[in-house]
Amino acid sequence: MLLATLKSLRSRKLRLILSGMAVVLGVMFVSGAFVLTSTLAASFDNLSASVYSGTDVAVSGKAPVAGGEPDENSATVPAELVGNVRAIPGVEKATGVVSVSGARVIGSNGKVVTTSGPSRLGTSWSGTADLRQLRAGRAPRAADEIAVNASLAAAAGVEVGDRVGVLTLQPKKTFALVGIFGYSGNRDTIGGAQEVSFIEPVAQELMLGKTGVYSAIVVKAAPGVAPEVLRDRLSATLGDTYDVKTGKQLQDAAAESFREALSFFNNVLLGFAGVALFVGTFLILNTFSILVAQRVEELALMRAIGASRWQMIGSVLVEALAIGVVASVLGLGAGIGVGALLAYVFRHVGNADLPVESIEIPASAVISAFAVGTLVTLVAALLPALRAARIPPVAALREVAAPDRPLTRLTVAGALITAIGVTALGIGLTGQGGEATLLLLLGGVLVTFTGIALLTPMIARPIVSVLGLLFSWSVPGRLGRLNSARNPQRTAITAAALMVGLALITGVHVVLESATASFTKMVDTRVKADLIIAGEPGGDSMPTFDPAVLDRARQIGGVREIVGEYGDIAMINGRPSRVNVVTDLAAMTRMLPLRTIEGTLATLPADHVVVDAERATELGLRAGSTLQVRLARGDVRTMTVAGIYADDDVYRVGGWILPAEAVHDFRVAQPSFGYLRLAEGANAAEIRKQIDALLADSPEVTVGDRSAFIAQQSSQFDTILAMIQLLLALAILIAVLGIVNTLALSVLERTRELGLLRAIGLRRAQAMRMITVEAVVISVFGALLGLAVGSGLGAAVVRALKEEGFTEVALPWEQMGTYLILAVIVGAFAATLPAIRAARVNVLNAIAHE
Amino acid sequence: MPTTTTGPPGAEVRQDATVAARAVDVWKVYGSGEAQVAALRGVSVDLGRGQFTAIMGPSGSGKSTLMHCLAGLDTVTRGEVYIGDMLVTGLGDAKLTRLRRDQVGFIFQQFNLLPTLTAQENILLPLSIAGRKPDRDWFAQVIETVGLGDRLSHRPSQLSGGQQQRVACARALVARPDVIFADEPTGNLDSRSGAEVLGFLRRSVRDYCQTIVMVTHDPNAASYADRVVFLADGQVRAELYAPTADAVLNTMRRLDTDPVDTSQTVRA
């Protein structure tokens, strides 16, 4: 039995390779994710070990504001403390350092140099003794001199001798670049971070807000003193006010946060793997179903000569297992390649300069590759195997025309499964799932897809027939159309592969489009500001601009009023919360949709706050209630609620609004937004030009009208879309495999028919066109399904997020049209090989073989 | 029976004047070197227009190969094949396709209907592939002759074997090809359905002057033909005109028992 199975496996190599490809892709992404993560993590461990080699213990201040974003430690240690630390027995050396992120260099192109995650550090120059190595120029000695690390110099396009603008806690300041440095081990950067080094007082002033403080004290232990011992001693002496950690602890924390950053890539790769494997399941299911259908006689003969049902099931599953194992091996190999390639890309393109010394292949990569690869294949082959077992022995003796099996059972099952999936989605979306929300959502989507895939055979025949009408003007077209409606299950599953990918993409598109539409509508109808100053969201720190711009803009003729908005994180009643300051609350209420519910928004005296209704309800606040507020600087203070406003839109002003003087205790005392209202008949274009000129030294922000503002704020979706397009490419690749596979098998199955058609005069080109029409009809069917399901899913998500301000459901018609056209191209492309094969059918062999 | 083995003088003249298909010293060799097998060894035969010719012979005699070569489905190793005046040998695929489309019709043992099309659509398929409009009257006449009037909207799976083969016959006839090649058309039918189909083929030769070449190994089927050509070991061994089933059977027996001698006598 096993021998027969393996022999039949060998005789169908090509078909099985095609269907196995999807599994290979899926396994590739799974193992690639593991290889990449552990390779990078291992490299990072090496790196951070050397970074912290000179640090036995570090002393830093405890942050007054913990958690939230930006997750910046604004705590400082006073300079006097360095002396105290030095006096403690066991301390050989103690150095005060400044090293804080938020130093943004303006490149030679006038734009701020960005990173894709790593910090933009501003530091105090502390010599080149341990880690830093000067590459060019010299160390900064004067207040207007800086040195930068080599990767930053390259990214900014600056050289020693250039004048370089830097944004810090203060607006743009220009420095002379006197030195470019690297790090030990000939590195240009440490894990992609940018570093600007000032002389110590300047670093303190610009990065910490005042001189005489450090961000940390680095301690070197005397010989024979264990870092842990020293840490405990320091901690006991200095008291609770300071954090004392060993270099090892810092190294572990850094590695931990690096792993967290990596987990994003990991999740993206695993997401791709999930899609590939899920779609691959359909592909394998289809291949095995067709193979079983084609081998009815052979299988029945086996039954007739005494094979048991279990042996039939076994024979199909052994085939599946063999494919699964082969696909896993190939996928693992490809995954190691992909992981290595991405690690390389990460190092060189991402400018991270991570020394990748060796490619790590963790056991988890190997185990998951085989587990996932074989399991998926086996599960997919289970249904066809059961079907094979049901073939009656008598089928070997008489030609049993495969009857159209009634689709009722399938349809009922499909409806049931869809209902379960939708319910799970519903629970997840409405936020009743609690901890399991993500699981409910993912599971809900998968189960829904499966259910819909089961429902598709029922609708395949009518829809495909209608679609095919488009091609019915020619004989090959008509034949192709009839062929595609011939086996609705086969057509449906093939189309389902494309459906899944397109549905996911369309769903995300719908959500993003709806977000944009809701935002646009809100801004258009509610925001009364004529010009808005804002920067692109995203990045490690909020874009800001020079507060002086606000004052100068007010002087421009035609500007009626202007409001600046500052943002930070503060502790309110012990919880980290986002807080804002607006320079003129009364003007703000005239330009933005703030509606007073309680108290007043007209004025905001010192030590008063206003808050939105949602937060007020949550904390049980009324006008007149008091709160404990601790800002990034300064002590805890008691504030009184002056007013409560309704803010029920996607564009949130930001909850807590504090009086203007609170800005001085913000970490960054620079505004992020500016809203302007112009006088009647003022020349907006002219005023915009003048404000543009004022913003010359604030390259992170631009001024624009409402539509420019909308476009700018929506640009953050582009990254998500780029990711989604990658997913689309993958889904299409697998869909092409599926269509090629199905058509190749169909061509094989219909050799005799093709021979007949050729015998009675069908030209080769016509035969090819017939196959192409079939493929295009299938892929367009899949695309339509995908667009429909994706729109439905997207719309459901948008509806569920109504409370969050998603007021509009918008469909991305343009992209949906593009996807449909793409489906036509994909179908035609996938048809190429099978069509050539069909055209090459030897007429004589086809009709003469009995 | 010497009288039946020699063709009547009139028939000779008709063959020369109007030949629907002709094989001239056709050889068909499969394989190469040691494994060479010659399926046809110098076959020359003229198939008269308006005649119902049966090609007979035991299995492996080369009768199917001869038909495939005559129909342009297979290439010959040596020699020439003509359909009408046209030299088929050496034609490319495009020209062969056109030849099959316009000048040749086929009837197969396995019916070979398209399961997705109705009977009527199957019948009209060659015309629609060629982009020709069917002649309504002729179509009606063909349907009438094969007796399928009430079955036109059925799919092949809803028809009996005999009905399916009649659809196949109608498909071959409706394009009015120069010659119809039928490969064991009754091989898959019971004797009654077979007789119906054969009667229908003979009628279309008599009434509509259709040329039909049929390969068969059934003496009874061959007896419907105007002329029987006997093949053995890849060579023409005998011919009969206006045969009866008994005469065919006798000739077959003779070929079986005395294969070499008879070849000379019947060629006369």
Side-chain angles (χ1 to χ4, degrees):
Chain A
M1 193 73 204
L2 188 65
L3 189 73
T5 303
L6 292 179
K7 279 207 160 152
S8 75
L9 195 63
R10 268 221 319 262
S11 64
R12 293 188 306 275
K13 279 190 293 269
L14 188 73
R15 281 174 259 176
L16 297 173
I17 287 173
L18 273 176
S19 56
M21 272 301 279
V23 181
V24 171
L25 282 176
V27 170
M28 179 181 90
F29 283 113
V30 172
S31 48
F34 282 109
V35 169
L36 173 71
T37 329
S38 60
T39 297
L40 289 184
S43 310
F44 187 83
D45 283 347
N46 286 340
L47 179 72
S48 64
S50 66
V51 169
Y52 289 103
S53 60
T55 307
D56 287 328
V57 180
V59 179
S60 58
K62 274 201 177 137
V65 176
E69 274 186 64
D71 167 52
E72 266 315 316
N73 191 343
S74 54
T76 54
V77 291
E80 314 80 271
L81 197 71
V82 180
N84 299 353
V85 170
R86 275 201 193 111
I88 292 169
V91 173
E92 186 182 280
K93 204 172 114 192
T95 322
V97 295
V98 178
S99 179
V100 182
S101 88
R104 293 145 290 159
V105 168
I106 298 167
S108 55
N109 60 359
K111 296 223 164 69
V112 171
V113 183
T114 55
T115 68
S116 54
S119 309
R120 295 183 280 191
L121 296 171
T123 60
S124 53
W125 182 261
S126 54
T128 57
D130 38 16
L131 202 59
R132 291 195 196 104
Q133 297 169 339
L134 264 181
R135 296 266 180 87
R138 56 173 177 82
R141 284 184 212 127
D144 65 343
E145 290 176 352
I146 54 166
V148 300
N149 70 321
S151 75
L152 173 55
V158 294
E159 291 169 6
V160 170
D162 287 351
R163 306 282 297 166
V164 177
V166 184
L167 306 174
T168 54
L169 293 183
Q170 293 181 20
K172 177 181 164 186
K173 284 201 175 334
T174 306
F175 296 87
L177 179 61
V178 297
I180 293 174
F181 57 90
Y183 302 91
S184 64
N186 207 22
R187 287 171 199 142
D188 289 345
T189 167
I190 295 177
Q194 301 176 357
E195 185 174 351
V196 185
S197 237
F198 311 90
I199 61 165
E200 191 175 280
V202 175
Q204 291 168 333
E205 179 71 38
L206 295 184
M207 302 312 301
L208 300 172
K210 58 183 171 190
T211 49
V213 291
Y214 295 109
S215 55
I217 300 167
V218 174
V219 178
K220 184 129 183 69
V225 180
E228 288 76 17
V229 174
L230 187 58
R231 172 196 61 194
D232 296 342
R233 200 179 294 161
L234 280 168
S235 172
T237 319
L238 299 175
D240 275 354
T241 332
Y242 302 102
D243 267 336
V244 186
K245 291 205 168 96
T246 61
K248 183 80 182 66
Q249 281 175 307
L250 293 174
Q251 185 188 325
D252 289 348
E256 184 54 38
S257 70
F258 183 73
R259 282 214 173 80
E260 261 169 41
L262 267 187
S263 72
F264 172 72
F265 288 94
N266 210 9
N267 288 341
V268 168
L269 286 175
L270 288 179
F272 282 13
V275 171
L277 289 170
F278 185 64
V279 176
T281 312
F282 287 96
L283 230 162
I284 293 167
L285 175 73
N286 219 15
T287 307
F288 275 95
S289 301
I290 298 173
L291 289 183
V292 166
Q294 284 178 353
R295 287 164 62 209
V296 165
E297 276 182 47
E298 183 190 329
L299 293 168
L301 182 70
M302 295 243 195
R303 290 278 280 139
I305 61 175
S308 74
R309 272 170 191 239
W310 284 110
Q311 279 174 310
M312 304 308 295
I313 294 177
S315 84
V316 175
L317 289 187
V318 165
E319 277 196 41
L321 191 69
I323 295 172
V325 169
V326 171
S328 300
V329 171
L330 294 177
L332 179 62
I336 293 170
V338 164
L341 185 76
L342 285 178
Y344 178 86
V345 167
F346 205 80
R347 179 183 174 182
H348 291 274
V349 180
N351 221 351
D353 210 10
L354 262 185
V356 177
E357 270 134 26
S358 63
I359 299 301
E360 303 278 323
I361 303 167
S364 58
V366 178
I367 294 168
S368 60
F370 280 95
V372 160
T374 49
L375 212 67
V376 162
T377 320
L378 281 179
V379 166
L382 199 60
L383 270 179
L386 292 174
R387 201 171 299 155
R390 280 203 301 267
I391 296 171
V394 71
L397 305 175
R398 61 163 187 250
E399 200 169 330
V400 184
D404 276 348
R405 272 173 311 127
L407 297 173
T408 337
R409 253 173 59 192
L410 204 65
T411 307
V412 170
L416 215 68
I417 292 174
T418 309
I420 293 171
V422 169
T423 312
L425 267 179
I427 295 173
L429 282 177
T430 48
Q432 294 161 13
E435 297 266 304
T437 297
L438 190 66
L439 205 68
L440 274 173
L441 288 180
L442 284 179
V445 168
L446 282 191
V447 173
T448 309
F449 278 147
T450 312
I452 290 170
L454 291 178
L455 283 176
T456 39
M458 194 188 61
I459 53 170
R461 193 168 289 187
I463 293 186
V464 159
S465 290
V466 170
L467 278 179
L469 283 179
L470 294 173
F471 303 98
S472 288
W473 43 267
S474 71
V475 179
R478 210 162 62 229
L479 291 172
R481 169 195 165 214
L482 288 172
N483 281 339
S484 52
R486 192 158 166 175
N487 193 328
Q489 251 151 307
R490 197 182 289 181
T491 301
I493 296 179
T494 310
L498 192 58
M499 171 196 78
V500 171
L502 266 185
L504 284 175
I505 293 149
T506 310
V508 174
H509 248 313
V510 168
V511 173
L512 294 184
E513 189 83 5
S514 301
T516 310
S518 309
F519 182 62
T520 304
K521 191 181 172 208
M522 208 291 303
V523 172
D524 274 349
T525 57
R526 311 281 298 272
V527 174
K528 298 286 182 280
D530 298 307
L531 290 175
I532 299 169
I533 302 171
E536 267 181 43
D540 60 342
S541 62
M542 194 76 183
T544 54
F545 59 96
D546 189 342
V549 170
L550 293 173
D551 294 328
R552 285 194 217 132
R554 199 171 284 126
Q555 312 301 323
I556 297 172
V559 174
R560 186 190 290 180
E561 47 190 5
I562 181 166
V563 178
E565 184 186 325
Y566 301 71
D568 201 359
I569 304 288
M571 301 298 275
I572 293 183
N573 283 351
R575 278 177 25 187
S577 314
R578 170 127 199 114
V579 294
N580 291 295
V581 161
V582 293
T583 51
D584 182 347
L585 184 58
M588 187 77 163
T589 55
R590 288 191 286 274
M591 288 193 261
L592 282 180
L594 300 185
R595 192 157 45 82
T596 314
I597 290 184
E598 234 184 281
T600 176
L601 301 186
T603 55
L604 191 56
D607 288 333
H608 281 68
V609 301
V610 298
V611 66
D612 61 297
E614 193 182 318
R615 263 164 248 230
T617 316
E618 194 184 319
L619 296 175
L621 298 175
R622 316 217 39 116
S625 308
T626 56
L627 305 153
Q628 302 301 306
V629 179
R630 175 158 197 181
L631 298 175
R633 301 182 208 292
D635 295 321
V636 179
R637 48 176 122 175
T638 305
M639 289 187 155
T640 311
V641 176
I644 295 172
Y645 63 88
D647 172 23
D648 46 7
D649 287 290
V650 72
Y651 181 70
R652 300 201 161 246
V653 177
W656 304 96
I657 300 179
L658 307 185
E661 90 278 352
V663 163
H664 305 299
D665 289 329
F666 274 23
R667 212 182 78 75
V668 181
Q670 295 181 63
S672 305
F673 296 96
Y675 304 94
L676 289 92
R677 215 146 67 91
L678 306 183
E680 295 284 335
N683 182 345
E686 181 53 36
I687 293 170
R688 192 176 152 177
K689 220 175 277 167
Q690 294 184 41
I691 295 176
D692 256 336
L694 292 180
L695 289 172
D697 283 344
S698 303
E700 286 184 306
V701 297
T702 53
V703 61
D705 56 12
R706 285 195 294 265
S707 55
F709 176 65
I710 291 164
Q712 182 191 44
Q713 300 297 307
S714 316
S715 66
Q716 52 184 317
F717 298 148
D718 293 350
T719 325
I720 307 178
L721 277 182
M723 223 53 161
I724 290 294
Q725 307 292 353
L726 269 181
L727 199 68
L728 174 73
L730 178 72
I732 283 181
L733 178 65
I734 297 177
V736 167
L737 285 176
I739 296 171
V740 170
N741 204 20
T742 302
L743 285 182
L745 290 169
S746 296
V747 165
L748 211 72
E749 205 175 61
R750 299 180 201 145
T751 303
R752 179 180 279 278
E753 274 173 55
L754 280 162
L756 165 84
L757 284 166
R758 296 274 290 127
I760 62 174
L762 196 73
R763 279 182 286 115
R764 280 200 168 133
Q766 287 177 311
M768 290 176 76
R769 210 181 323 148
M770 179 176 84
I771 303 292
T772 307
V773 165
E774 184 175 355
V776 169
V777 165
I778 292 177
S779 64
V780 168
F781 173 56
L784 284 178
L785 269 181
L787 293 179
V789 172
S791 304
L793 280 178
V797 171
V798 170
R799 275 275 146 265
L801 291 177
K802 199 172 177 187
E803 295 288 297
E804 307 295 319
F806 282 74
T807 51
E808 306 293 303
V809 177
L811 296 183
W813 292 112
E814 205 173 304
Q815 280 91 346
M816 285 164 77
T818 312
Y819 294 154
L820 208 56
I821 293 167
L822 209 59
V824 173
I825 296 169
V826 161
F829 175 72
T832 322
L833 276 178
I836 289 173
R837 203 163 171 177
R840 287 219 185 119
V841 159
N842 181 316
V843 182
L844 185 63
N845 288 348
I847 53 176
H849 89 257
E850 303 294 316
Chain B
M1 278 193 247
T3 44
T4 50
T5 52
T6 335
E12 197 102 32
V13 172
R14 205 169 60 197
Q15 275 176 31
D16 284 337
T18 55
V19 175
R22 168 186 289 166
V24 182
D25 191 27
V26 166
W27 286 72
K28 179 68 185 176
V29 182
Y30 293 108
S32 56
E34 294 285 303
Q36 266 194 2
V37 179
L40 297 177
R41 309 202 285 190
V43 173
S44 294
V45 67
D46 289 356
L47 302 166
R49 200 179 292 280
Q51 252 190 5
F52 187 179
T53 308
I55 300 177
M56 281 209 74
S59 317
S61 61
K63 57 184 191 301
S64 286
T65 308
L66 175 61
M67 194 206 85
H68 293 148
C69 289
L70 283 170
L73 287 175
D74 206 353
T75 54
V76 300
T77 312
R78 218 173 77 199
E80 287 168 346
V81 170
Y82 295 87
I83 300 249
D85 294 335
M86 187 193 280
L87 178 62
V88 174
T89 314
L91 286 184
D93 181 74
K95 290 223 168 101
L96 276 178
T97 304
R98 169 152 296 182
L99 173 87
R100 290 198 297 262
R101 175 197 281 180
D102 299 333
Q103 283 166 274
V104 176
F106 289 101
I107 301 168
F108 302 97
Q109 182 178 0
Q110 305 284 355
F111 321 144
N112 276 346
L113 301 178
L114 283 199
T116 49
L117 301 180
T118 63
Q120 172 159 357
E121 287 168 333
N122 264 297
I123 293 170
L124 292 175
L125 188 61
L127 290 179
S128 31
I129 287 177
R132 274 154 58 189
K133 282 242 176 291
D135 176 341
R136 280 285 142 207
D137 296 340
W138 175 237
F139 176 72
Q141 210 170 331
V142 168
I143 297 305
E144 168 77 35
T145 317
V146 295
L148 279 168
D150 56 339
R151 288 272 184 272
L152 284 180
S153 59
H154 289 53
R155 283 181 202 280
S157 57
Q158 299 163 310
L159 297 173
S160 72
Q163 286 167 336
Q164 287 190 52
Q165 195 61 305
R166 280 188 276 155
V167 170
C169 292
R171 180 178 67 193
L173 262 180
V174 81
R176 295 208 239 216
D178 291 352
V179 50
I180 291 176
F181 291 99
D183 189 1
E184 304 265 12
T186 56
N188 265 3
L189 299 178
D190 60 64
S191 54
R192 223 189 84 203
S193 307
E196 275 171 18
V197 165
L198 288 165
F200 165 65
L201 290 180
R202 185 159 64 184
R203 225 169 29 252
S204 54
V205 172
R206 296 263 157 84
D207 298 353
Y208 311 128
C209 260
Q210 180 64 55
T211 308
I212 295 178
V213 178
M214 170 177 76
V215 167
T216 184
H217 62 262
D218 173 11
N220 197 42
S223 70
Y224 282 79
D226 299 322
R227 175 193 180 199
V228 185
V229 175
F230 292 90
L231 248 66
D233 295 328
Q235 287 178 316
V236 176
R237 287 292 171 74
E239 285 185 68
L240 280 175
Y241 284 89
T244 61
D246 283 344
V248 172
L249 204 58
N250 282 337
T251 311
M252 289 284 283
R253 284 211 190 97
R254 234 177 40 233
L255 286 175
D256 271 349
T257 50
D258 194 10
V260 186
D261 262 7
T262 43
S263 80
Q264 290 306 320
T265 53
V266 280
R267 282 298 282 167

